[in-house]
Amino acid sequence: MEYKDYYKLLGVSRSASKDEVSKAFKKLARKYHPDLNPNDAGAEAKFKEINEAYEVLKDEKKRKLYDQFGSNWEHGQNFQPPPGYENMDFGGFGGFAGGGSGAGFSDFFETIFGGGGGSFRGGFQQGGYQQGGFQQRPRRGADAEASYELTLEEAYRGGKKSITLQEQVHGPEGVPRMTTKTLEVTVPPGIKDGQKIRLAGQGNPGMSGGPKGDLYLKIRLMPHHMFKVADADIILDLPLAPWEAALGASLRIPTLDGAVEMKIPPGIGSGKKLRIKGRGLGSGAKKGDQYVRIMIQVPERLSEAERELMEKLRAASEFKPRTF
């Protein structure tokens, strides 16, 4: 098997101190870390080599044994362990545990330190490692956000909805492609514009076996032909004829929960608001109301009879709308 010159791999001398070894390893680890060199097989191989070298040279006992075996070997030369090495006691080497595959370290390393069947805790796992102050544990995927439009009626009622999203996935050969997925969403009744619905585990994929992130649907309320929205309140502009405003009226007023009867008090002015409690968005104690905003309208054109009546009203009325 090929002899590995761990000193050369880390770029340090054989007399390098433990601190010098550590600094050299960290510098190279930052350079060749897989997270910084995605899809670079060369960087990943180099990263594994320097990790293996550091695993040996950082440990006094391992380094001593390695020096004993390898002091007279040149890099690239075939290595045969000395007779009797298999009877040596490796139990004192911290961080090793039997029973695993040992994937990630070379045959050279396994022959000397792994006993042909040993593995190590904290070694490479799904392309990552955790040695010397660096850690690559399973990481949760990032959360994602998408806009989701609802009509005002849908937001008020809530209920189950089916949505279709496009997402990027990796095919069998690792080639990214777009695919469509359908999700069932429960919309809370009274949800407001800008609120978010969380879909657990539907976000971006995790790393190194980590779980997927969450997907947040940000609610966007579509414009309504009749109602306006002010946070949790609903606003309805109610046109009134001058005589309805003056004499009062009883009208059926549309709401998001069906029409209701409303008495318009006589003498109401334009711009005043009448409240219909609990017919807004939100829920519980924070549920909004619907406000009916009075908008007095006058006819653009008057018939002869209407004009005659208006003239009589002007002559008879003492109402003065202005104080200036």
Side-chain angles (χ1 to χ4, degrees):
M1 82 193 75
E2 180 181 340
Y3 172 76
K4 291 209 177 268
D5 190 335
Y6 290 144
Y7 293 98
K8 189 173 183 178
L9 286 170
L10 292 183
V12 297
S13 68
R14 287 185 171 273
S15 60
S17 66
K18 189 175 181 179
D19 187 53
E20 289 173 326
V21 168
S22 177
K23 288 181 178 177
F25 165 71
K26 290 178 179 178
K27 181 179 179 181
L28 293 171
R30 291 190 185 95
K31 181 178 180 180
Y32 295 106
H33 194 287
D35 286 356
L36 302 177
N37 300 275
N39 303 318
D40 188 338
E44 182 176 351
K46 186 69 175 179
F47 182 76
K48 289 181 179 181
E49 282 188 326
I50 61 174
N51 190 69
E52 178 178 315
Y54 184 59
E55 178 66 32
V56 174
L57 299 186
K58 74 176 183 179
D59 187 280
E60 183 178 346
K61 292 183 178 178
K62 291 193 196 79
R63 183 173 179 177
K64 183 176 181 180
L65 180 61
Y66 170 77
D67 287 342
Q68 177 185 342
F69 282 177
S71 59
N72 296 321
W73 292 84
E74 295 295 332
H75 182 68
Q77 191 174 354
N78 285 336
F79 172 78
Q80 292 295 331
Y85 88 99
E86 61 273 20
N87 296 324
M88 292 186 176
D89 180 14
F90 299 119
F93 297 158
F96 284 74
S101 65
F105 282 180
S106 68
D107 291 341
F108 173 78
F109 181 98
E110 289 290 328
T111 299
I112 297 178
F113 302 108
S119 67
F120 57 92
R121 295 190 183 101
F124 291 97
Q125 294 179 352
Q126 297 183 21
Y129 78 114
Q130 50 183 57
Q131 294 285 345
F134 294 86
Q135 291 188 337
Q136 180 64 40
R137 298 188 177 92
R139 286 191 290 176
R140 178 180 178 275
D143 292 337
E145 183 175 301
S147 293
Y148 185 43
E149 287 191 332
L150 291 174
T151 66
L152 201 48
E153 287 84 354
E154 289 173 328
Y156 184 84
R157 291 192 302 267
K160 294 190 176 300
K161 306 286 289 184
S162 222
I163 65 170
T164 301
L165 297 171
Q166 294 282 322
E167 69 172 354
Q168 188 181 67
V169 299
H170 288 84
E173 298 179 353
V175 178
R177 60 184 174 83
M178 298 302 293
T179 185
T180 300
K181 68 177 179 181
T182 301
L183 301 174
E184 296 296 322
V185 180
T186 299
V187 178
I191 194 166
K192 297 185 294 183
D193 189 75
Q195 285 190 305
K196 297 177 181 178
I197 299 174
R198 173 174 168 265
L199 301 178
Q202 298 296 337
N204 291 304
M207 296 184 66
S208 302
K212 296 180 71 173
D214 298 333
L215 171 62
Y216 288 87
L217 297 180
K218 189 172 185 178
I219 299 302
R220 292 296 183 201
L221 296 181
M222 300 170 67
H224 197 276
H225 69 284
M226 192 161 48
F227 299 111
K228 297 180 177 64
V229 180
D231 192 21
D233 294 330
I234 301 297
I235 309 295
L236 173 71
D237 287 338
L238 179 65
L240 279 185
W243 45 91
E244 289 177 321
L247 302 175
S250 182
L251 303 174
R252 282 186 65 79
I253 304 298
T255 77
L256 291 171
D257 200 23
V260 297
E261 292 288 336
M262 171 174 274
K263 289 188 176 180
I264 308 299
I268 195 167
S270 192
K272 288 190 175 181
K273 295 178 182 175
L274 302 174
R275 186 175 72 144
I276 304 176
K277 188 176 180 180
R279 294 301 176 101
L281 301 176
S283 60
K286 295 183 178 180
K287 189 172 180 62
D289 302 320
Q290 176 172 322
Y291 287 90
V292 177
R293 184 165 55 189
I294 302 301
M295 307 292 285
I296 297 176
Q297 305 289 315
V298 296
E300 293 184 1
R301 295 180 180 176
L302 296 175
S303 64
E304 286 298 323
E306 289 171 330
R307 180 175 296 279
E308 184 178 343
L309 290 172
M310 288 289 183
E311 293 289 351
K312 289 182 178 179
L313 177 61
R314 182 169 60 180
S317 178
E318 298 180 351
F319 176 61
K320 297 183 182 303
R322 295 170 296 280
T323 59
F324 52 87

